Amino acid sequence: MAGKMRRSEAGSSSGSSSSGSGSSRGETVVVDCGRCKSSCGYCKSPGRTSISHGLWAHSITVDDYQDLLDQGWRRSGCFLYKPEMERTCCPSYTIRLRASDFVPSKEQQRVSRRVQRFLDGMLDVKNPVEATDDPTISINTCTCACHEASSSGMKDSLSDQSEEKRSSEQIVSYLSEQLDKAVNKCTEHGGLPSGIKLPKASVKKVSQGKRKLLVEGGKDLLYSSNIAFQIAATLNRAKSANKEPSPNLENNAITAKAIAETLVASVDQLAQSSSSLAVRACNGHINFYGAATQSPTESSETLSGPEESARGCKRKSCCSRKNSEHLLGKRRRLEVRLKRSSFDPEEFDLYRRYQINVHNDAPDHVTESSYRRFLVDSPLVFVPPSGDSLVPPCGFGSFHQQYVIDGHLIAVGVIDILPKCLSSKYLFWDPDYAFLSVGKYSALQEINWVKENQVHCPSLQHYYLGYYIHSCSKMRYKAAYRPSELLCPLRYQWVPIDVASPLLDKKPYVVLSDFALLQNGESLLPHVPEKITDEQQHDDNVHGDLNDILVDDNEEMVEPETETSDDESGPETSGHGSVEIENGDVSEILIGLKGARVRYQDLRAAFGVKEQKYLESQLHRYKRSVGAELSKRIVYSLG
């Protein structure tokens, strides 16, 4: 049962829940799938080395699922699974982040700025220098036929400064070109004399220091040109040589101020589309401002700017020609829409494009049924908004968060909203927008969603990114959302990832709670039982762990073959035929049988000795996986 999933989920610390049989939020009913084995999508082991405990959920309350997440579980559709950490080849640690403590890195800030520039019309959808979410994705850097897709794509290797410098240089070049066109237009229409060679326009970026010296609107002044002064000087020289200036200049007054106003009017006629820059004549200077700084008391026009130039084209002349013809796109509108999980044909079409183009899935493998099973079907019982501070306005449950730009669906995030967290499960997006690093941007948006909704539901504190596998390089991006923490697989305590990382550098499975930081920052030495050696841990790992979901930066879904092994004894059960073992009695486990809900102690007599022994071994393993408290609330269905 599986799938390949994007940044994923988990909740906050296990706490008392109001769910259970008869609860107003419904009840949780599961079928025990026992131990499940599959091939591993992380280490690509040829054997079935991925091992987990699996449950099939007919229904599950948001409270119970929150507590399950806090014990290392997660879901793929209606299938719940938890890695057997001592046995699996690639131990998977639940990772979370307290949203209010999140500090974005420079790279994450750069992603936000890139998207904003795109929305402002300062970045073109075909920009070749922007990185994708996956280094394996190829990008066409130009629309001309001579371009070839890069085999490895690009990463965000350019610094913020060089990126902004490149963009600024292109804008300056474009604005200069537009002013030259305005001068030519004025000449053609008699606004300027045609018999005089006029200077070329030059636009310069206004430095931050100079902006501070200006008064009104100075902070939003981006570019400026003194071409009007140069033209005025040229015309005055022509006049002194008995050459007539343009009759359209008032009283033949050859002033930079009059020329600047004439050119600004021509620039507006050239730029018909709306834009993110405003052009204004100011005492002979032609200034370019952010569109938001237009003053109602001054004459100002809008101007569009350049798209990013193509790079790496074998026919550079075609790219240069196309770039010189480009105008800055109009402002774009981004809408983030949150809807309950349901099948949407538009979303499925986008999902197909994503899987086929980004992850090279065979088209006949990307079916509607598999899509529904992994990303639409959910056992979570929806909790509607209550109007108080206990439930957010959207309610609790499974949702699809759509990212729509100018009416075009570009990405969908599949998430669970629970009492204590937003659990991110999967993201798929339009390959044409790979340069925006949609995966990183959506994570930032989801973190912000948690922050914003804390005012409606104070219990919402955390953002869960799913599983973290330290040995998997594609999982390392999750640790960049700081300060994050990992769940101890034994005691279910949260440990800062900065503490956990050096431990995981040495061995894949570590009881993280054995390590703690003293107040002075020195770490305590771990307590490691002598009987457990690295070699023995490695030998145990050959049994594996169910890896029905491969989580990486782009999270493609896979559906490996799995097998269940209910009769296989492990170290925790070998040698025990009674329920009186490590986790105590299983008699309080809630059993569902033919519509009835009874405790196992009231049902035990209905089974023979052999049936009791087999069932109780399964119940013990189940109780060990979900915990004593949840085993009393969750309905363990026997049919």
Side-chain angles (χ1 to χ4, degrees):
M1 286 268 154
K4 221 184 159 187
M5 296 196 62
R6 177 191 156 343
R7 297 170 296 122
S8 162
E9 68 228 303
S12 116
S13 64
S14 158
S16 61
S17 300
S18 59
S19 65
S21 181
S23 167
S24 61
R25 291 187 175 181
E27 69 174 359
T28 299
V29 181
V30 301
V31 175
D32 191 4
C33 300
R35 177 174 292 146
C36 304
K37 292 183 177 182
S38 76
S39 56
C40 181
Y42 302 111
C43 64
K44 309 298 182 183
S45 172
R48 296 181 181 276
T49 58
S50 180
I51 303 177
S52 74
H53 195 116
L55 301 172
W56 182 265
H58 292 290
S59 64
I60 184 169
T61 69
V62 293
D63 302 279
D64 287 343
Y65 188 48
Q66 176 74 70
D67 288 346
L68 285 171
L69 290 177
D70 289 335
Q71 297 204 42
W73 291 81
R74 65 173 294 183
R75 74 176 183 89
S76 172
C78 294
F79 184 74
L80 309 177
Y81 64 101
K82 176 183 181 179
E84 293 190 3
M85 299 287 279
E86 306 95 328
R87 292 171 165 268
T88 188
C89 54
C90 296
S92 306
Y93 297 82
T94 300
I95 182 171
R96 77 174 186 180
L97 164 79
R98 183 181 290 274
S100 59
D101 293 340
F102 173 62
V103 179
S105 65
K106 289 184 178 180
E107 163 59 21
Q108 290 156 355
Q109 293 174 352
R110 184 156 54 242
V111 168
S112 294
R113 287 195 295 269
R114 181 186 309 139
V115 172
Q116 190 58 53
R117 287 201 306 275
F118 175 71
L119 296 176
D120 288 341
M122 302 292 289
L123 193 66
D124 180 50
V125 70
K126 297 296 183 182
N127 185 348
V129 300
E130 302 297 345
T132 68
D133 283 17
D134 186 346
T136 63
I137 301 173
S138 300
I139 306 175
N140 287 325
T141 58
C142 175
T143 56
C144 62
C146 63
H147 262 295
E148 297 178 354
S150 168
S151 61
S152 61
M154 300 182 183
K155 293 296 286 181
D156 280 329
S157 58
L158 297 176
S159 67
D160 212 21
Q161 292 82 357
S162 62
E163 188 177 343
E164 291 179 1
K165 181 179 179 181
R166 184 187 308 107
S167 176
S168 177
E169 290 173 350
Q170 291 169 342
I171 293 173
V172 164
S173 175
Y174 173 78
L175 295 179
S176 300
E177 181 180 327
Q178 293 305 301
L179 286 179
D180 284 337
K181 289 182 179 180
V183 170
N184 293 335
K185 185 175 181 180
C186 288
T187 302
E188 292 173 1
H189 291 79
L192 292 172
S194 58
I196 301 175
K197 184 177 181 180
L198 299 177
K200 290 287 187 179
S202 174
V203 176
K204 295 184 178 180
K205 184 176 180 179
V206 180
S207 67
Q208 188 69 30
K210 289 184 179 180
R211 292 183 210 172
K212 294 180 180 179
L213 299 177
L214 301 176
V215 190
E216 183 178 355
K219 65 179 181 179
D220 296 303
L221 174 60
L222 303 178
Y223 306 94
S224 183
S225 174
N226 64 354
I227 182 61
F229 289 95
Q230 298 178 40
I231 292 177
T234 300
L235 294 181
N236 281 320
R237 286 195 297 268
K239 185 177 181 180
S240 63
N242 297 322
K243 293 185 179 180
E244 289 297 322
S246 170
N248 289 346
L249 293 176
E250 184 178 356
N251 298 324
N252 285 339
I254 307 175
T255 65
K257 182 176 181 180
I259 294 173
E261 292 173 351
T262 301
L263 291 179
V264 164
S266 296
V267 167
D268 179 47
Q269 295 174 13
L270 287 171
Q272 297 296 327
S273 62
S274 61
S275 151
S276 58
L277 288 179
V279 57
R280 187 182 310 156
C282 183
N283 295 325
H285 292 276
I286 299 178
N287 294 337
F288 300 90
Y289 302 81
T293 64
Q294 289 186 349
S295 171
T297 61
E298 294 186 63
S299 171
S300 60
E301 314 296 347
T302 58
L303 177 70
S304 49
E307 293 186 353
E308 299 284 347
S309 61
R311 186 178 71 173
C313 179
K314 294 180 179 179
R315 294 164 51 194
K316 294 184 179 179
S317 58
C318 80
C319 291
S320 300
R321 183 175 65 255
K322 290 182 180 181
N323 185 61
S324 66
E325 295 171 356
H326 282 325
L327 294 179
L328 180 72
K330 65 179 182 179
R331 279 182 172 271
R332 301 173 175 91
R333 181 187 180 191
L334 170 64
E335 297 177 82
V336 182
R337 305 170 181 170
L338 187 64
K339 59 187 285 288
R340 288 181 60 186
S341 181
S342 63
F343 180 78
D344 183 327
E346 185 180 13
E347 290 183 357
F348 175 62
D349 289 343
L350 178 62
Y351 168 76
R352 275 185 58 86
R353 285 192 61 208
Y354 172 77
Q355 294 297 134
I356 293 171
N357 291 284
V358 175
H359 294 296
N360 300 315
D361 286 2
D364 56 345
H365 288 172
V366 187
T367 63
E368 181 179 318
S369 60
S370 65
Y371 170 71
R372 286 179 179 270
R373 185 166 65 251
F374 292 120
L375 297 181
V376 178
D377 295 345
S378 172
L380 290 183
V381 179
F382 177 70
V383 177
S386 57
D388 53 23
S389 61
L390 300 178
V391 182
C394 63
F396 292 134
S398 298
F399 297 85
H400 285 191
Q401 193 162 44
Q402 298 179 332
Y403 295 81
V404 181
I405 294 182
D406 290 343
H408 176 66
L409 181 67
I410 70 159
V412 177
V414 181
I415 61 176
D416 290 328
I417 297 176
L418 304 172
K420 298 178 182 178
C421 74
L422 183 153
S423 172
S424 180
K425 293 180 55 58
Y426 195 75
L427 180 83
F428 52 93
W429 35 268
D430 188 333
D432 290 341
Y433 290 81
F435 69 96
L436 288 180
S437 298
V438 183
K440 297 182 180 71
Y441 183 76
S442 67
L444 298 175
Q445 292 302 303
E446 289 166 0
I447 293 171
N448 286 334
W449 185 94
V450 176
K451 291 181 180 180
E452 293 170 358
N453 280 271
Q454 286 177 357
V455 65
H456 304 295
C457 181
S459 65
L460 270 172
Q461 294 289 327
H462 290 92
Y463 175 63
Y464 282 76
L465 298 92
Y467 285 143
Y468 175 81
I469 300 177
H470 191 69
S471 60
C472 180
S473 60
K474 289 187 177 182
M475 303 284 275
R476 294 295 179 94
Y477 79 96
K478 295 185 179 184
Y481 295 88
R482 303 173 65 86
S484 54
E485 48 191 0
L486 301 182
L487 183 68
C488 173
L490 181 63
R491 300 185 183 93
Y492 306 118
Q493 298 172 356
W494 295 96
V495 177
I497 198 166
D498 290 340
V499 175
S501 291
L503 307 176
L504 296 174
D505 284 338
K506 298 178 180 179
K507 56 180 69 176
Y509 173 71
V510 179
V511 178
L512 298 177
S513 57
D514 278 345
F515 297 80
L517 289 179
L518 296 175
Q519 290 184 353
N520 63 3
E522 296 179 0
S523 59
L524 294 174
L525 293 176
H527 170 68
V528 181
E530 295 181 359
K531 294 182 180 180
I532 300 179
T533 65
D534 290 345
E535 183 178 357
Q536 287 172 327
Q537 286 187 344
H538 178 75
D539 291 339
D540 281 343
N541 283 342
V542 299
H543 294 290
D545 159 68
L546 174 68
N547 208 7
D548 58 290
I549 297 180
L550 173 58
V551 187
D552 59 28
D553 196 16
N554 298 281
E555 321 255 1
E556 61 182 292
M557 298 179 81
V558 295
E559 190 174 1
E561 299 178 17
T562 63
E563 64 181 19
T564 60
S565 180
D566 290 334
D567 59 346
E568 188 175 336
S569 296
E572 72 276 11
T573 59
S574 60
H576 297 279
S578 169
V579 299
E580 300 295 331
I581 46 183
E582 182 182 346
N583 280 351
D585 202 337
V586 297
S587 60
E588 290 298 311
I589 291 178
L590 186 61
I591 303 295
L593 182 63
K594 297 182 179 180
R597 304 289 185 259
V598 296
R599 300 294 173 185
Y600 177 68
Q601 62 186 2
D602 300 323
L603 192 63
R604 181 185 287 123
F607 299 100
V609 175
K610 289 185 178 181
E611 290 175 323
Q612 280 187 28
K613 183 176 180 180
Y614 173 79
L615 178 58
E616 290 171 3
S617 68
Q618 304 308 305
L619 291 178
H620 168 68
R621 183 180 295 160
Y622 162 75
K623 181 179 177 180
R624 184 171 183 263
S625 295
V626 303
E629 289 302 315
L630 280 173
S631 71
K632 297 176 183 178
R633 297 202 310 260
I634 296 177
V635 178
Y636 187 97
S637 177
L638 294 178

